Amino acid sequence: MRQVIIALDIFSLMVSFLVLYCSIFEVKSHKERNRSFTVCVILVIIGQFFNLLSWILDGQVEHEKFLFFTVFMYGIMGYVIAVYFIYYLWTLINETHPISKWTVIPIISISGPYILWMAYLILTGRGVKIVDGHYRVGDLYLLTQIYPVLCMIWAVVMILYYASELGRRKVAACFAYMLSPASTVIIHFYYPDVSFSYAAFGYAVLIVYVMVQAEQEREYKTRENTLIEASTRDSLTGLYNRRAYDMACTQMKKFDTVGIIFCDANGLKRTNDAQGHAAGDRLLLSIANGLIDIFSRKQVFRISGDEFVVMCPNMPYETFHAQMISLGAFVRRSGMPIASVGEAYGSGVEIHQLVKEAEQQMYLDKEQFYSDYPKMERRNR
């Protein structure tokens, strides 16, 4: 049995270190909640370490003093873990339903005197004792379990009272965290030679991490991605905006060939003045939808009020040219072109240089538009 418990403790310790690593490096959201959980895991690891040492030293009479020290330390850590879990539970509830710290201060405030008293019971051999190199419970062992039981009752009341704020997933995780070590304490009381408490703590923190910490981080990343997506989208057309365009320009450096199309709405100001901004919006939406129909939505950017840029990375020139023909037919489908268009295609050319070339071509097309439709020129409005 001793070898089995040592093996379980070692595996549980490895699990706890993995949870600690994930808690520190993987979870970025809800700093106070995650910080308190990280401290819980560190406390569990310390307790697991001393518990493992106690089982390794068990039966070695020549190391009785060191064995007593390890038993004393993991006993103390058990109470500290129980106290800190109350605080962690408070941070969980406080995220969705702000509550006063006085909810947990009473139970936490008595932890100091109780731990000192419990240390006295251990040191005097009344709580636990070492007999012939083996750990044994003392005649007042039950008294050492009063505070952990109080902590558990307090936590259960908090969980049940704030169950709706916590949600079923967090409630289940918290109960799993408490019941796993608690069940092993009961077993240990009836079978003193069997103790899986700290091994159970390792699996308990894993349950909490998977069901609460990691899940919350996934929700946080989803919200973060949603915000990023919203910040890179144009509210009118749904196309990528100038911010997304700047990001795309940075990424375009890795492509061998890039085709650029620069598109500028014709007569937007005149349309807004003569027919109202709703008509101007319809003109912009018409251009945006036409670009989406010909190209992919992820290639099209609205970089300013009436300007659009299309990026075509690694597209064969034949395909690019064919799509340009389709775009030309689209902008002239009603007779008067609704937009002026310029293009540039290159390999190994800096992306901003290609955009500048396409913009210059667009201005030439714009001059031709004003030449064909002089009434649309701004000075004639």
Side-chain angles (χ1 to χ4, degrees):
M1 178 59 69
R2 176 171 168 269
Q3 287 77 10
V4 172
I5 294 175
I6 290 175
L8 287 173
D9 278 348
I10 292 174
F11 184 74
S12 177
L13 190 60
M14 293 170 60
V15 169
S16 297
F17 271 114
L18 176 62
V19 172
L20 179 64
Y21 173 85
C22 293
S23 179
I24 293 174
F25 296 104
E26 298 298 325
V27 180
K28 305 296 190 302
S29 61
H30 302 285
K31 292 183 179 180
E32 183 175 7
R33 189 276 307 276
N34 189 52
R35 186 164 52 245
S36 62
F37 177 76
T38 302
V39 172
C40 271
V41 178
I42 292 173
L43 294 175
V44 167
I45 289 175
I46 295 172
Q48 286 175 317
F49 174 74
F50 284 111
N51 185 61
L52 177 61
L53 281 180
S54 71
W55 280 104
I56 293 174
L57 296 172
D58 187 60
Q60 300 182 29
V61 179
E62 65 275 17
H63 294 134
E64 276 193 355
K65 290 184 178 180
F66 192 29
L67 173 61
F68 181 81
F69 173 73
T70 60
V71 170
F72 176 80
M73 287 303 299
Y74 82 67
I76 293 292
M77 292 309 303
Y79 297 102
V80 176
I81 292 168
V83 173
Y84 211 86
F85 177 72
I86 296 291
Y87 177 72
Y88 171 69
L89 183 59
W90 176 83
T91 63
L92 277 182
I93 299 170
N94 198 52
E95 285 179 358
T96 55
H97 185 83
I99 57 175
S100 171
K101 284 190 176 181
W102 283 101
T103 308
V104 295
I105 284 178
I107 189 68
I108 293 178
S109 62
I110 64 174
S111 62
Y114 187 89
I115 290 176
L116 289 175
W117 181 61
M118 193 277 298
Y120 169 76
L121 291 180
I122 294 177
L123 291 172
T124 57
R126 305 297 301 277
V128 296
K129 55 187 176 182
I130 306 299
V131 180
D132 297 328
H134 295 283
Y135 161 82
R136 294 290 183 267
V137 297
D139 58 326
L140 297 181
Y141 174 75
L142 278 179
L143 295 181
T144 66
Q145 302 304 307
I146 292 176
Y147 186 70
V149 171
L150 286 176
C151 286
M152 182 175 294
I153 294 173
W154 197 282
V156 168
V157 171
M158 288 180 65
I159 292 170
L160 294 178
Y161 188 80
Y162 295 104
S164 59
E165 285 78 12
L166 286 170
R168 287 180 295 180
R169 193 180 188 90
K170 290 180 182 177
V171 169
C174 291
F175 274 125
Y177 178 90
M178 292 187 299
L179 294 178
S180 298
S183 60
T184 64
V185 171
I186 296 172
I187 295 173
H188 177 60
F189 178 75
Y190 288 102
Y191 303 96
D193 293 333
V194 180
S195 177
F196 300 106
S197 299
Y198 275 97
F201 264 126
Y203 307 129
V205 294
L206 177 62
I207 291 172
V208 173
Y209 178 80
V210 172
M211 295 185 68
V212 179
Q213 298 293 117
E215 178 66 22
Q216 200 76 8
E217 179 63 11
R218 284 191 290 270
E219 293 175 2
Y220 171 80
K221 288 182 177 178
T222 299
R223 290 195 299 269
E224 185 179 46
N225 291 336
T226 301
L227 290 174
I228 292 175
E229 179 71 11
S231 69
T232 56
R233 289 286 183 181
D234 174 56
S235 59
L236 174 64
T237 63
L239 298 175
Y240 285 120
N241 60 17
R242 181 61 187 242
R243 181 185 180 190
Y245 164 78
D246 291 335
M247 295 167 60
C249 285
T250 303
Q251 297 172 357
M252 283 294 163
K253 295 179 181 179
K254 63 184 178 182
F255 294 106
D256 294 331
T257 58
V258 179
I260 298 294
I261 298 168
F262 203 105
C263 185
D264 184 273
N266 287 334
L268 177 63
K269 182 69 167 63
R270 185 183 181 90
T271 302
N272 285 334
D273 293 343
Q275 304 176 45
H277 286 277
D281 289 346
R282 287 194 294 272
L283 173 61
L284 292 172
L285 283 170
S286 176
I287 296 172
N289 291 332
L291 291 171
I292 293 171
D293 289 340
I294 299 170
F295 305 93
S296 168
R297 178 182 288 271
K298 64 183 180 182
Q299 295 175 281
V300 185
F301 303 82
R302 184 188 178 194
I303 63 171
S304 68
D306 55 0
E307 293 179 333
F308 301 82
V309 169
V310 182
M311 293 185 174
C312 305
N314 288 345
M315 178 180 288
Y317 181 75
E318 293 76 13
T319 305
F320 179 74
H321 183 65
Q323 290 184 329
M324 274 299 301
I325 293 175
S326 298
L327 178 59
F330 163 74
V331 299
R332 291 173 174 80
R333 64 180 181 176
S334 300
M336 185 180 72
I338 61 173
S340 299
V341 179
E343 64 175 292
Y345 187 91
S347 177
V349 182
E350 208 276 326
I351 184 66
H352 292 291
Q353 180 62 35
L354 284 176
V355 173
K356 186 176 180 180
E357 291 178 14
E359 186 178 15
Q360 289 173 344
Q361 291 295 320
M362 182 275 295
Y363 282 128
L364 293 176
D365 192 42
K366 181 76 72 175
E367 289 179 6
Q368 184 62 48
F369 169 75
Y370 286 140
S371 175
D372 295 340
Y373 302 92
K375 291 184 179 181
M376 298 298 295
E377 196 164 2
R378 295 192 176 192
R379 62 174 175 266
N380 292 329
R381 289 200 302 269

